[in-house]
């Protein structure tokens, strides 16, 4: 039975509400992952930039934790709410093209995509970036639609009636300014926002409406808003010799170079992040956008250019991550709903879409089993490959540190993820002494012992397996004071060791 517009709209809201509640319940019962703890440290040490990211995630986490405390749900709340915002924006984009049945299909696709669902559980820049990016897409779409609906401006020799002279063609000023501001906010969350510039340039070259808007003062105002929002991070980098650029393109890329293998790794990661069938379905949506007549230029441009640029970067860098191309898939999710509605008379496509959604739902269920239970704890030959292990054990580590440390004794670790987890578990500054790398702890002054320190308590584990005596030849560390493991399903999946070192 076909759904009415009202029914599809209400079901879309219900799906978003249910997913938001489910994410919140899970987020409240999981310890922080390594990256999440690191972003919490960002929030403790506010700055206009960091080696990996702009400051947007730090500002959001600082606001959330100031209002609601430092519990896991408070830390993850910006991600939970941002995911709901991004999904609703994509649903509205789909509904503007083919009604709310299309909006509902997009809502389900964006909710069931494992990468987007899991991202909405995390305290990372990706969910708020997705929200800002999708709001930019929506505002730009509204601006273009209003410009197309407006009567054409008369030429210099075209007679103008008195009524037309008194009622000039409206300019979609507010949507344009909103799009510019959203783009600037997106840049302050992830650098991939610059990919929008290529998409806009393509639109200006191929779409007459975009060219007309580009000549209007409101378009310049949107550009100014985007630039002003990006200024703090750019100025921070310029004042320090561009550490973010150096970190991304030099320090982390010792083996950089053109390599098709990098691209294959990234594509393989996409199959897992989005689920194989959903990944194929989105590629089919991209082909449909390409072949459509008239082509949906905004969604096509904001899909193909970010995707192409993300994969181009992956061809060069050996540290490409599977979530990078997500920036180009948001427009495809918005186009997926209309594609589903258009395929109502093509049962094979419908069956494929249902299978893609079902497989994605199974993968999300498996994700819950992985992180909430110990049922899968013994599946990995090497427990270090099970990322869910990093969510556990840190409260016990904090308890042993408090019991063993001397008054005023600094706590030290080696890797920035260890240092971040310790800092969150202890809720105090930790010294991160990494002699072979520069990290953000160095930037905010925690990359060295405090002046006058004569001893420190070092926390290590078997994942990095770096004893302090080898790391710090200038200190006497001896044998570990204590060693204890994280046990899951009767198996030690991680072992922590604590040393006292004398300077």
């Amino acid at each position: 039975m076909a759904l009415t517009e009202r029914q599809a709209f209400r079901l879309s809201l219900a799906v978003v509400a249910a997913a938001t509640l489910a994410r919140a319940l899970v987020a409240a019962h999981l310890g922080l992952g390594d990256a999440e703890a690191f972003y919490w440290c960002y929030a403790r040490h506010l700055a206009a930039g960091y080696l990996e990211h702009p400051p947007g995630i730090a500002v959001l986490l600082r606001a959330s934790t100031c209002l609601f405390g430092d519990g896991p749900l408070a830390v993850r709340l910006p991600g939970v709410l941002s995911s709901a915002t991004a999904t609703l924006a994509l649903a509205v984009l789909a509904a503007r093209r083919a009604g709310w049945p299309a909006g509902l299909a997009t809502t389900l696709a964006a909710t069931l995509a494992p990468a987007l669902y899991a991202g909405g559980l995390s305290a990372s820049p990706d969910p708020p970036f997705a929200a800002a990016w999708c709001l930019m897409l929506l505002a730009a779409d509204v601006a273009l639609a209003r410009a197309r609906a407006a009567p054409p401006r008369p030429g210099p020799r075209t007679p103008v009636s008195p009524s037309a002279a008194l009622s000039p063609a409206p300019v979609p000023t507010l949507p344009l300014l909103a799009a510019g501001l959203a783009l600037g906010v997106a840049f302050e969350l992830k650098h991939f926002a610059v990919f929008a510039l290529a998409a806009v340039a393509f639109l200006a070259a191929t779409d007459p409406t975009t060219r007309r808007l580009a000549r209007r003062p409101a378009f310049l105002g949107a550009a100014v808003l985007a630039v002003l929002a990006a200024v703090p991070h750019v100025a921070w980098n310029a004042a320090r010799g561009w550490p973010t650029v150096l970190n991304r393109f030099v320090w982390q890329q010792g083996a950089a170079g053109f390599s098709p293998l990098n691209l294959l790794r990234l594509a393989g990661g996409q199959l897992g992040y989005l689920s194989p069938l959903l990944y194929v379905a989105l590629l089919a949506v991209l082909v449909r956008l390409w072949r459509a007549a008239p082509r949906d230029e905004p969604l096509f441009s904001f899909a193909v250019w970010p995707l192409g640029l993300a994969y181009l970067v992956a061809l060069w860098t050996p540290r490409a991550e599977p979530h990078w191309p997500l920036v180009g898939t948001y427009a495809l999710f918005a186009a997926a709903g209309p594609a589903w509605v258009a395929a109502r008379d093509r049962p094979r496509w419908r069956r494929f879409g249902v299978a893609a959604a079902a497989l994605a739902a199974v993968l999300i269920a498996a994700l819950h089993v992985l992180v909430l239970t110990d049922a899968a704890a013994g599946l990995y030959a090497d427990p270090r490959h099970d990322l869910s292990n990093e969510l556990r054990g840190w409260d016990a580590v904090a308890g042993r540190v408090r019991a063993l440390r001397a008054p005023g004794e600094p706590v030290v670790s080696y890797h920035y993820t260890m240092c971040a987890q310790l800092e969150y578990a202890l809720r105090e500054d930790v010294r991160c002494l990494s002699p072979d790398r520069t990290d953000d702890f160095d930037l905010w002054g925690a990359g060295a012992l405090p002046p006058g320190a004569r001893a420190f308590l070092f926390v290590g584990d078997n994942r990095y397996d770096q004893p302090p005596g080898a790391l710090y030849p200038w200190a006497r560390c001896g044998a570990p004071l204590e060693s204890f493991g994280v046990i899951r399903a009767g198996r030690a999946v991680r072992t922590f060791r604590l040393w006292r070192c004398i300077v």
Side-chain angles (χ1 to χ4, degrees), residues 23-24 27 76-83 114-123 127:
R23 287 188 179 107
R76 293 179 171 126
L77 190 60
V80 172
L81 298 179
S82 294
S83 291
L116 302 190
Y117 184 87
L121 287 169
S122 68

Side-chain angles (χ1 to χ4, degrees), residues 27 57 88 107 126 134 162 189 205 229 235 266 276 281 332 395 444 450 460-461 491:
I57 185 61
L88 288 173
T107 299
D126 293 280
C134 294
L189 286 156
L266 186 62
L332 294 181
D395 288 341
W444 57 63
D461 77 335
R491 179 187 184 192

Side-chain angles (χ1 to χ4, degrees), residues 321-405:
E321 298 179 26
H323 66 275
W324 286 4
L326 285 179
V327 61
T329 63
Y330 300 126
L332 294 181
F333 278 105
W340 172 261
V341 170
R344 59 168 58 93
D345 297 325
R346 304 181 69 178
R348 288 186 178 180
W349 283 105
R350 285 279 183 143
R351 286 195 294 269
F352 186 86
V354 171
L359 178 59
V362 169
L363 292 177
I364 289 176
L367 173 68
H368 283 84
V369 172
L370 177 67
V371 300
L372 292 175
T373 75
D374 293 337
L379 296 181
Y380 291 84
D382 187 342
R384 289 178 295 183
H385 297 158
D386 184 353
L387 297 181
S388 67
N389 288 331
E390 70 187 44
L391 307 174
R392 294 166 168 82
W394 289 103
D395 288 341
V397 174
R400 297 314 303 151
V401 167
R402 293 189 182 100
L404 291 173
R405 72 189 299 191

Side-chain angles (χ1 to χ4, degrees), residues 274-373:
L274 290 169
S275 89
L277 296 184
L278 189 54
Y279 181 68
V280 172
L282 290 177
L283 291 180
V285 170
L286 180 60
V287 172
R288 181 178 183 272
L289 283 176
W290 169 255
R291 292 178 175 175
R295 188 179 300 161
D296 189 337
E297 294 286 4
L299 291 187
F300 175 77
S301 185
F302 278 96
V304 71
W305 283 101
L307 278 173
L309 291 171
Y311 279 103
L312 182 63
V313 171
L315 273 172
W316 179 80
T317 172
R319 288 195 57 184
E321 298 179 26
H323 66 275
W324 286 4
L326 285 179
V327 61
T329 63
Y330 300 126
L332 294 181
F333 278 105
W340 172 261
V341 170
R344 59 168 58 93
D345 297 325
R346 304 181 69 178
R348 288 186 178 180
W349 283 105
R350 285 279 183 143
R351 286 195 294 269
F352 186 86
V354 171
L359 178 59
V362 169
L363 292 177
I364 289 176
L367 173 68
H368 283 84
V369 172
L370 177 67
V371 300
L372 292 175
T373 75

Side-chain angles (χ1 to χ4, degrees), residues 145 150 175 197:
L197 302 182

Side-chain angles (χ1 to χ4, degrees), residues 29-57:
H29 289 87
L30 288 177
L32 298 190
D34 290 350
E36 293 178 298
F38 194 42
Y39 298 138
W40 179 85
C41 292
Y42 278 14
R44 273 176 58 85
H45 306 278
L46 281 180
Y50 304 91
L51 291 182
E52 287 282 345
H53 292 292
I57 185 61

